[in-house]
Amino acid sequence: MTTRSLQFGDIITVRFPQQNPQGREQEGYRPAVVVGFPNRLGIPRFSLIIVIPMTTDTGQTWATASPDLYPRFATGVARLRSPSIALLDQIRVLDVNRIVDYRGSLTPEEYEPILIGLQRMISP
């Protein structure tokens, strides 16, 4: 899969690397939402994409307490296998070689909470 075929709001399966030293970042195989393409600004040194990792939604109180930071998605949205939470506080840059599979795409309405949350988080 190339970055040319990916779009904003696509959900892909990626292999997040193990962190050393251990922290709170997501690791292993999991879905992620595509939110950025460095190649839109010029010719990057490496083939990279910017993604938001996702985790399974099992009714976490932290997600309920901060819905703008943790948008929720139902099973089946963009072929998600379980209810999921986008972790906007864990934005990551990944080499495209870490992409394992394409799952599907969020509609503009489904992607909007992610876009709004990111804009609020990084804009002055």
Side-chain angles (χ1 to χ4, degrees), residues 2-90:
T2 67
T3 57
R4 285 187 181 166
S5 60
L6 291 173
Q7 303 290 320
F8 291 95
D10 282 351
I11 295 186
I12 55 177
T13 302
V14 298
R15 181 177 44 85
F16 289 100
Q18 184 175 357
Q19 303 297 308
N20 187 11
Q22 285 293 109
R24 303 280 185 200
E25 300 89 355
Q26 298 296 297
E27 297 178 340
Y29 293 88
R30 63 182 54 250
V33 183
V34 176
V35 297
F37 301 94
N39 63 0
R40 292 184 72 197
L41 299 179
I43 302 171
R45 298 176 300 152
F46 309 106
S47 293
L48 303 171
I49 58 170
I50 303 169
V51 299
I52 299 293
M54 300 182 87
T55 194
T56 303
D57 185 357
T58 57
Q60 292 89 333
T61 57
W62 48 263
T64 303
S66 299
D68 293 339
L69 189 56
Y70 305 112
R72 289 183 143 121
F73 299 93
T75 301
V77 169
R79 293 182 36 223
L80 289 168
R81 295 183 196 136
S82 59
S84 300
I85 300 170
L87 304 171
L88 298 190
D89 59 352
Q90 292 201 23

Side-chain angles (χ1 to χ4, degrees), residues 68-117:
D68 293 339
L69 189 56
Y70 305 112
R72 289 183 143 121
F73 299 93
T75 301
V77 169
R79 293 182 36 223
L80 289 168
R81 295 183 196 136
S82 59
S84 300
I85 300 170
L87 304 171
L88 298 190
D89 59 352
Q90 292 201 23
I91 190 167
R92 301 280 292 275
V93 177
L94 292 177
D95 189 297
V96 296
N97 292 322
R98 294 192 183 278
I99 299 171
V100 176
D101 191 22
Y102 169 82
R103 291 193 180 209
S105 296
L106 297 175
T107 66
E109 294 78 21
E110 292 164 339
Y111 183 65
E112 186 174 24
I114 292 174
L115 180 60
I116 290 170

